Amino acid sequence: MVDTHCHLIDPQFIKDLDAVLARARTAGITRIVNTGYDTETSDQAVRMSRQYPWLAPAVGIHPNEAADQSIKEMGRIRELLENDCVVAVGETGLDYYRDFSPREAQKELFRLHIVLAKDRNLPILIHTRNSIEDAISILKFEDFHNGVFHCYSGSYEQAKRILDMGFYISFAGVLTFSRRIRDLIRKLPRDRLLLETDAPFLSPAGHRGKRNEPAFIIETLRAAADILNVLPEELETILDRNASLLFAFKE
Ligand SMILES: [Zn+2]
């Protein structure tokens, strides 16, 4: 099972990373997309993959970082992309909910990530919060079709347009307790679905309010299999194939 979006570079994992990784292995996790959210954590994700090759790094600057400053730092992200181990550009996107950065600067930062992804022929990890329409417009304008809308929270109608553009849609532990997400996932084509933990955030039911970790994705897998009325093993095979196609994992 692949955890397609996780932040093992987060300081919350410093103390017990080896124990977290051991539990992930025991739970059957074979690969984790270890996602940076600024230059420092992106650099760290690349370094971690040297020690743990099954942690596939993604490099980018999250829209909640100060966008004006981040635009100046994109040269560092470009440098990090020269490492062949990097499987995706991100986390990037637009966040109008927290709105820590001016929207115009966020849009520019998002565009810069798209340009790098095009250049390196890599998928992007897209974060949206109250911003799906603008994200779709920018992706259309840039004529870019490779990536995933992570921790999806939009409508079915928006999901259809995103799928038509060629993107994948990923769900986190929220699907274990959100009726709206359960109803949505049922209507989506299985060959375009992914699951993730977004750990240390967004714990599934049973762990809410506590730190999330990759091993918990199995609970989300079971919940999704239940919603879709398939065996967890069957769904796992489909999801792993989707992840391999999107991220072009080596080996
Ligand atoms: Zn994330």
Side-chain angles (χ1 to χ4, degrees):
M1 180 74 199
V2 180
D3 181 353
T4 66
H5 188 116
C6 174
H7 304 284
L8 291 169
I9 38 60
D10 191 275
Q12 290 188 54
F13 289 114
I14 286 176
K15 278 198 191 132
D16 62 344
L17 181 67
D18 281 316
V20 168
L21 294 179
R23 284 195 291 273
R25 281 299 207 193
T26 307
I29 314 302
T30 51
R31 200 173 307 256
I32 298 170
V33 178
N34 189 16
T35 308
Y37 44 73
D38 57 16
T39 53
E40 204 174 306
T41 53
S42 294
D43 185 73
Q44 212 179 327
V46 169
R47 279 185 278 120
M48 274 169 85
S49 80
R50 295 196 184 118
Q51 193 181 352
Y52 309 98
W54 60 295
L55 307 184
V59 301
I61 305 180
H62 196 285
N64 286 345
E65 301 295 316
D68 284 319
Q69 180 60 33
S70 301
I71 287 166
K72 294 181 201 133
E73 293 171 346
M74 283 301 285
R76 182 65 193 132
I77 298 297
R78 175 185 287 278
E79 280 169 18
L80 287 171
L81 282 166
E82 280 159 26
N83 293 285
D84 283 337
C85 57
V86 176
V87 297
V89 176
E91 177 164 356
T92 179
L94 304 168
D95 194 320
Y96 297 168
Y97 176 74
R98 293 199 188 87
D99 233 347
F100 288 158
S101 306
R103 292 184 184 186
E104 284 313 308
Q106 286 193 45
K107 287 183 197 172
E108 180 57 17
L109 187 63
F110 183 37
R111 260 192 295 270
L112 292 172
H113 282 82
I114 296 169
V115 169
L116 287 184
K118 264 188 198 169
D119 196 48
R120 296 288 301 177
N121 194 23
L122 286 174
I124 55 172
L125 309 179
I126 307 161
H127 166 104
T128 55
R129 211 118 181 240
N130 300 353
S131 57
I132 290 180
E133 291 306 323
D134 276 5
I136 289 174
S137 309
I138 292 170
L139 290 163
K140 283 204 164 141
F141 182 81
E142 294 292 337
D143 193 20
F144 190 72
H145 308 275
N146 185 13
V148 51
F149 278 70
H150 109 91
C151 193
Y152 186 73
S153 61
S155 68
Y156 174 57
E157 186 275 328
Q158 286 168 322
K160 275 196 295 189
R161 282 152 60 210
I162 286 166
L163 293 168
D164 281 345
M165 289 166 72
F167 289 94
Y168 287 78
I169 291 185
S170 176
F171 295 95
V174 181
L175 79 80
T176 59
F177 53 82
S178 161
R179 165 149 300 183
R180 195 178 76 78
I181 297 295
R182 295 170 80 92
D183 290 341
L184 174 67
I185 198 170
R186 243 181 234 121
K187 299 185 212 154
L188 301 179
R190 290 172 197 181
D191 64 346
R192 305 293 284 288
L193 290 179
L194 296 172
L195 291 183
E196 61 176 283
T197 57
D198 201 20
F201 316 108
L202 300 177
S203 298
H207 304 277
R208 288 182 80 178
K210 285 184 250 156
R211 184 187 72 174
N212 195 5
E213 63 174 71
F216 299 166
I217 201 168
I218 301 301
E219 292 163 45
T220 307
L221 171 70
R222 283 201 203 109
D226 190 49
I227 297 164
L228 298 174
N229 207 11
V230 291
L231 291 170
E233 306 84 75
E234 284 175 58
L235 184 60
E236 183 180 342
T237 304
I238 296 169
L239 296 172
D240 281 358
R241 188 171 56 221
N242 297 347
S244 289
L245 282 171
L246 177 64
F247 295 110
F249 292 131
K250 296 188 184 85
E251 288 157 40

